Amino acid sequence: MSVTRPHLALEVDGAGAHPAAGHAGPAGDIAALTARVTTAEAAGFALVTIADAALPPPGGPARVEAGVRASFLSRRTQRIGLAPTLHVTVTEPFHLATQLASLDHASLGRAGWVVGADHSAAVYATVGLPRLDGAALRQELADGIDVARQLWDSWEDDAIIRDRVTSRFLDADRVHHVNFTGERFSVVGPLITPRPPQGQLVVLGADTLGVTGRLDVALVAAPTVDEVADRARQARTDGAPLVFADLDVLLGADRLAALDAVAPWGPAQRLRHTGSAEDLRDLLERLAGLVDGVRLHPAELHVDLPRLATGLGRRPVTGPTLRDTLGLHRPANRFATAG
């Protein structure tokens, strides 16, 4: 009997998930990042995620913002989805929605968004705002997602008409103000870019953010399969169409001791596999009955990614859009529907 294999995602930021990865191998420049993503594309990964933070890594230089890196990659890839982490807490919501819509246009419909929620006092200090936590933080995240989705709909799909007779580029009646008012900001709209090719980008985020019902993909980071199963069921109950499990991967258990001697990995905060590619395939088959996808976090990207690419034996994803790849329908435009 054939087993449905879960979608695979890959986190490509940094040198790897193991704290010693930066000592054993370089985090890599933009050329190294491009090589990783094209390798993942050829290996059949559905998408890559690109982590980011408002502050530079401790002891390290500032890095190029994740959305900019994704835009660079959009014209150097053909099928794989690109999902940068952009933080609602420290990013102006109109610009966030615009940047993501532009990424979807540049990638011809392969963009996603990992909802970031950095909320330390130091992070908020970068934008001069008071720190949010608890219910106030959850409301900020909800407002940020809601206004982005409304702005993506502010242009109807057929708003651009290019009518030479009347010299009109667009039909103004098909471009709409959103008039959104949140707890800490308001946005009139409309967006300054046309509706994204996917209609709505694929929105991913942790199931612990308190906004699961607003996500397309809930990301579950739990150390045991049983806990992943329980939280996946809850995420679906809360309204997430898809659920992905996060999984640390180190192929070749003999490497672990040497890495831990440099910097111990510590207790697992998400599923962790240290072993062979064959055992990893068995684990993925087990997870296929519990979740829709798995996001892999290689211990050392420069070592584990080539092994994953050859050891998983997957066919390349064809898309053409990320929504198509994941089996998500293209949403109707709320303003066209209302009209």
Side-chain angles (χ1 to χ4, degrees):
M1 182 179 66
S2 62
V3 177
T4 301
R5 293 190 290 183
H7 299 293
L8 287 186
L10 179 74
E11 175 55 54
V12 294
D13 181 62
H18 196 286
H23 299 274
D29 55 14
I30 195 68
L33 177 64
T34 304
R36 293 171 186 169
V37 176
T38 54
T39 297
E41 181 174 61
F45 282 79
L47 72 151
V48 295
T49 60
I50 308 171
D52 206 353
L55 298 173
R63 54 189 170 184
V64 177
E65 189 256 0
V68 176
R69 284 180 278 167
S71 295
F72 178 86
L73 293 166
S74 68
R75 308 310 298 162
R76 290 157 180 81
T77 52
Q78 296 180 330
R79 298 180 303 274
I80 197 165
L82 305 167
T85 296
L86 298 181
H87 293 276
V88 175
T89 46
V90 291
T91 309
E92 201 282 330
F94 184 89
H95 297 315
L96 184 150
T98 302
Q99 182 179 17
L100 289 167
S102 298
L103 175 61
D104 204 44
H105 282 286
S107 64
L108 304 179
R110 293 181 287 118
W113 170 31
V114 180
V115 178
D118 269 3
H119 61 286
S120 68
V123 164
Y124 274 111
T126 65
V127 291
L129 291 175
R131 183 175 182 269
L132 297 180
D133 205 348
L137 175 62
R138 290 191 294 274
Q139 186 62 55
E140 183 82 350
L141 297 175
D143 287 346
I145 296 170
D146 288 349
V147 75
R149 289 194 181 279
Q150 290 184 33
L151 285 167
W152 294 333
D153 277 353
S154 62
W155 290 55
E156 296 184 30
D157 290 317
D158 53 357
I160 297 177
I161 55 176
R162 297 186 176 92
D163 189 336
R164 294 184 179 180
V165 175
T166 62
S167 299
R168 291 186 303 157
F169 177 72
L170 56 84
D171 183 345
D173 291 334
R174 299 174 191 174
V175 180
H176 305 274
H177 294 112
V178 300
N179 295 316
F180 180 90
T181 301
E183 287 295 316
R184 296 209 306 171
F185 63 83
S186 61
V187 176
V188 175
L191 207 62
I192 57 174
T193 56
R195 195 176 192 223
Q198 295 182 100
Q200 297 273 323
L201 276 70
V202 176
V203 181
L204 308 91
D207 67 322
T208 55
L209 294 178
V211 292
T212 302
R214 290 173 164 83
L215 304 175
D216 296 301
V217 181
L219 303 172
V220 174
T224 68
V225 172
D226 287 343
E227 187 177 348
V228 166
D230 290 342
R231 285 171 55 181
R233 283 192 291 269
Q234 185 60 52
R236 292 192 177 98
T237 299
D238 292 340
L242 299 177
V243 180
F244 279 35
D246 279 314
L247 171 63
D248 290 329
V249 176
L250 188 149
L251 293 182
D254 56 308
R255 296 163 45 216
L256 182 59
L259 288 170
D260 279 349
V262 177
W265 206 344
Q269 302 300 310
R270 52 196 174 215
L271 292 177
R272 182 175 295 173
H273 171 79
T274 58
S276 67
E278 181 179 358
D279 290 339
L280 175 61
R281 289 195 296 270
D282 291 341
L283 175 58
L284 293 176
E285 287 189 1
R286 183 182 177 191
L287 290 170
L290 305 175
V291 295
D292 306 289
V294 178
R295 179 170 62 158
L296 302 181
H297 299 258
E300 295 181 283
L301 271 162
H302 74 289
V303 176
D304 291 295
L305 178 54
R307 298 184 182 189
L308 288 167
T310 58
L312 293 180
R314 298 173 67 89
R315 294 180 179 178
V317 174
T318 56
T321 72
L322 181 55
R323 283 188 169 273
D324 291 330
T325 295
L326 298 180
L328 295 167
H329 74 280
R330 187 179 189 273
N333 186 298
R334 71 194 69 206
F335 294 103
T337 301

